[in-house]
Amino acid sequence: MFQILKTFVSVYETHNFTRTADNLFLSQPTVSAQIKKLEEYFDVVLFIRHGKQEIIPTKEADFLYPRALKMMEEWDDTLLHIHIEQNYRESCVLACTQSCGMYLLPKFVPLLIERFPMIDFHFPIMEYKTIVHELEQSKLDFGLIEWPERSEHLQRYVVAQDELVLAGRKEANYWLINECMTPLQEINDHYLRENNLSPAIIRTNSYEMIKNLLNQGVGRTIISKLALSENTPFEVLEMDNHRNFYFLTKEEVVSDLLAEVALFIRTTLQENAPPNR
């Protein structure tokens, strides 16, 4: 049954029987047969088939998908811990956006690794929408983002607050734009349009580069106040310039140890929120 659920999850995510067959090293007829067996078991239609390529999940598939992920995750966790040894090390993947990775992680990681010495932590930096998507698919354990992306499959907790400011010298000739598709880029584009500004643009996909250029006196941009050095000039924005940092978890954390990690991260961040200067 778990192999069939694994096949179902792959078809649901790829919308394609052929791709699922390639991903799982199965034949396409085997994939079709497993989905048919699952549909017969539940006596429902899980996918609407339009031709050979287009596969559309039904509402029954939408209902089954998060539950199948949970069952598979619980099974994997059970297999790991049935054969647990004295030196077994748990793993934990906490994905962060660039801002969270620079300003929140350093505040609590020393406390985290001291509290949980038998856990191997991984802190990948990702775009916020990718974090939400991969957390929904149980590819991550937790996430830290600074934009209120909603998901019916995730829990979201406010753990700190940030302030956006217009940074840089007023006489600067360049505007700094992070070309990654983020709400911060949209905020900068909107500000330029609303104020009828047409400055020369410096584009980069590096938040760190933008921060360092500002701190070296090059260009202007709307950015987190936390990014600025003590000598970087800035103006308070007339718009609503506050945003929250959010800690994301799945609706239920399967491992008791990871549930303890989640609670520790939340409380530590809330107690040690970085102040605005």
Side-chain angles (χ1 to χ4, degrees), residues 137-153:
Q137 295 186 346
S138 297
K139 295 178 180 178
L140 308 172
D141 295 304
F142 309 116
L144 274 173
I145 65 176
E146 68 271 34
W147 306 105
E149 188 77 358
R150 295 190 178 277
S151 169
E152 61 182 15
H153 304 303

Side-chain angles (χ1 to χ4, degrees), residues 4 7-9 11-12 17 30-40 44 46-47 49:
I4 294 177
T7 301
F8 162 76
V9 166
V11 173
Y12 185 92
F17 280 16
T30 298
V31 171
S32 299
Q34 289 184 356
I35 295 300
K36 183 178 180 181
K37 185 174 182 179
L38 193 60
E39 290 178 325
E40 290 175 349
V44 297
L46 294 172
F47 300 100
R49 300 156 179 84

Side-chain angles (χ1 to χ4, degrees), residues 112-132:
L112 187 66
I113 60 178
E114 180 181 0
R115 175 66 179 79
F116 300 98
M118 292 303 293
I119 295 182
D120 293 321
F121 289 98
H122 182 206
F123 304 118
I125 300 297
M126 301 178 176
E127 293 185 357
Y128 77 105
K129 288 187 177 180
T130 303
I131 292 174
V132 171

Side-chain angles (χ1 to χ4, degrees), residues 98-114:
Q98 291 190 52
S99 295
C100 293
M102 285 190 289
Y103 308 128
L104 294 189
L105 273 183
K107 300 291 184 181
F108 72 88
V109 166
L111 300 173
L112 187 66
I113 60 178
E114 180 181 0

